[in-house]
Amino acid sequence: FKTSSGATITVGGGDYGWLVNTSAEIEDLIPKIKEGSHISKVPTYKQTAATPGSSDLGNTYVEISLSGQHMWFYKNGALIADGNVVTGNLSLNHGTPAGVYKLKYKQKDTSLVGQDYNAPVSFWMPFNGGIGIHDASWRNEFGGNIYKTNGSHGCVNAPYALASAIYNNISAGVPVVLYY
């Protein structure tokens, strides 16, 4: 992955990418093998990515530098929004996991509820279970080293304007790339 800063990095983990449906492939291929047939076919996939090839992200994605505490959103190759964020609190072992994920869905005006919090948000965009991007009206500062001792429970806290710009331009399935 080529980052917005120009570095080329490898990002592992997450749930984004191509996944072959092995049971469907076995069911399809065994009879052909037994017949002695020669075939060439496109595999049956359980999951697909934006585009085939070595960089299957396409040109619409969210990029989050966990060490830099910054987020970018590209749509059709154009930078739509970027800004500082606050990710998971490292001192409490709530670090935001690196990887490439698919945005699951988006939701307006909801409350995020956990064991020790109930936080109303205007924009909720989950990508990894209960971890997602959202506005954080309770914060008056973003970026820097805040995440090390006063970070989130794992979510990506964004200023209202940044979360709004992404929410209004993103759809389910868009890749979210997180790296250190």
Side-chain angles (χ1 to χ4, degrees), residues 13-110:
D15 64 4
Y16 184 83
W18 299 86
L19 183 61
V20 173
N21 184 334
T22 52
S23 58
E25 283 299 295
I26 289 168
E27 190 176 306
D28 190 32
L29 292 174
I30 295 293
K32 293 185 175 36
I33 291 169
K34 286 181 178 177
E35 293 169 1
S37 299
H38 294 273
I39 64 165
S40 176
K41 68 184 278 310
V42 174
T44 303
Y45 292 101
K46 279 186 179 179
Q47 175 180 303
T48 60
T51 59
S54 61
S55 177
D56 60 3
L57 293 175
N59 59 9
T60 298
Y61 58 89
V62 175
E63 174 186 346
I64 301 168
S65 169
L66 297 168
S67 56
Q69 294 292 285
H70 200 86
M71 177 167 60
W72 299 261
F73 175 58
Y74 293 92
K75 185 174 184 180
N76 299 323
L79 179 63
I80 300 298
D82 77 293
N84 291 333
V85 295
V86 175
T87 60
N89 188 328
L90 294 183
S91 69
L92 296 178
N93 292 321
H94 294 301
T96 306
V100 184
Y101 302 88
K102 276 188 176 185
L103 185 72
K104 304 303 182 249
Y105 62 91
K106 63 182 191 174
Q107 184 178 5
K108 277 188 95 165
D109 302 323
T110 190

Side-chain angles (χ1 to χ4, degrees), residues 133-148:
I133 301 164
H134 61 79
D135 55 302
S137 60
W138 54 91
R139 291 194 182 276
N140 56 18
E141 191 178 349
F142 296 86
N145 292 320
I146 298 166
Y147 74 109
K148 291 182 178 179

Side-chain angles (χ1 to χ4, degrees), residues 113-154:
V113 180
Q115 191 172 21
D116 59 347
Y117 63 93
N118 184 340
V121 297
S122 298
F123 310 105
W124 170 232
M125 297 163 275
F127 56 82
N128 179 9
I131 298 174
I133 301 164
H134 61 79
D135 55 302
S137 60
W138 54 91
R139 291 194 182 276
N140 56 18
E141 191 178 349
F142 296 86
N145 292 320
I146 298 166
Y147 74 109
K148 291 182 178 179
T149 57
N150 190 23
S152 70
H153 288 83

